[in-house]
Amino acid sequence: MTYKMKSSNSIDFMREAGVDLASIRNELMRAGGNNPALLAKILCNMEKLIGTHEMDWITRNGSRGLAEYVVQRYKFKTYPAMKKLEGFPLHLLIEPTSICNLRCKMCFQADQSFRTAEYWGRIDVEFFKHLVDQAVENGCKFLTLASRGEPTLHGRLGEMLRYCKGKFMELKINTNATRLGEDLSREILEAGVDILVFSVDSYFKEEYESIRVGARFEEVLGNIKRFCELKRSKPEYIKTEARVSGVYLGQSRTRFADFWKEIVETVTLTDAVPRWNTYENEIMDFSIPCSLPWERMYVWHDGACNPCDFDYKSTLKVGDATRLPLVDIWRGGAYQKLREMFLEGKRHSMSPCNKCNVY
């Protein structure tokens, strides 16, 4: 379930924003580029390519960088499914910290064996900047600051965001909003973060606190409302989308959407992924190759690189970013072998991939 505050009709939505498919096509053709075959494919698939996510970006950013953005979104949406590998991850996810202050019942933070010094830590800020520099040098346009922990628990998150400002087409943060104070809210807005995702799963106290163990609903609601009020205080802050994203565990979808749509711009409620104890899941009869190894790479706080966070203990680790450049890890033997195993139909023998049917 996804609720958008604006019309879900693509043409009407863009027309309201002064943008339509024809103008996007014209901008692409004007920009040209050195790959006419790719441009032709994009132009033939505009209706499928431009969805609500893309419409939001266009509404907030206008024509600035539009052609490049559409090209990057086309690659993001099609290349992983085609198993076509770019020279660098289309989407890089860097973990500010693996530490979390909650123990949500559908999350791997509920696994007590993960909540130890072996796995918990915070990223060194200079190392973080080195990773960002590599992403920029290699043309990566989509960066997310999140993964196994709560980003706002890193005391220098604001500095990290300032370093990222203006370097990516889409900069995203996921947060449980428990530590989202006014100062940090302003830093997020000043950094031009494109999407701030609030991980919230209910619209009333008792249900929320039974899911997000350790959080207080009133505090989280207050923090989100304050952020949205601050967002309306300056025209340039409109660039940041406020989104509530929850995990469906039997809640009322309608009431959930009705409550949060009055506060944020986008509301989603998705089915739970069985990763509260990934490694004990039963093996599934699911042989379809995962697309993530062709799309993204996660970099943990300690430099470990992983294809996904379903494997939150890094049994599939493909490299160490403190020792090798990200591009070498992305194209390196360990990651290539993992891709080959998927293509050879060996998912059933790959743990924990054989216990996941999400990707």
Side-chain angles (χ1 to χ4, degrees), residues 171-191:
L171 176 62
K172 183 170 77 170
I173 309 173
N174 297 346
T175 177
N176 59 32
T178 58
R179 301 294 180 88
L180 188 65
E182 182 172 346
D183 290 344
L184 181 55
S185 293
R186 291 187 185 278
E187 288 184 298
I188 290 170
L189 292 165
E190 287 291 336

Side-chain angles (χ1 to χ4, degrees), residues 303-315:
C305 295
N306 230 54
C308 79
D309 60 0
F310 185 82
D311 174 39
Y312 56 89
K313 290 184 177 179
S314 302
T315 63

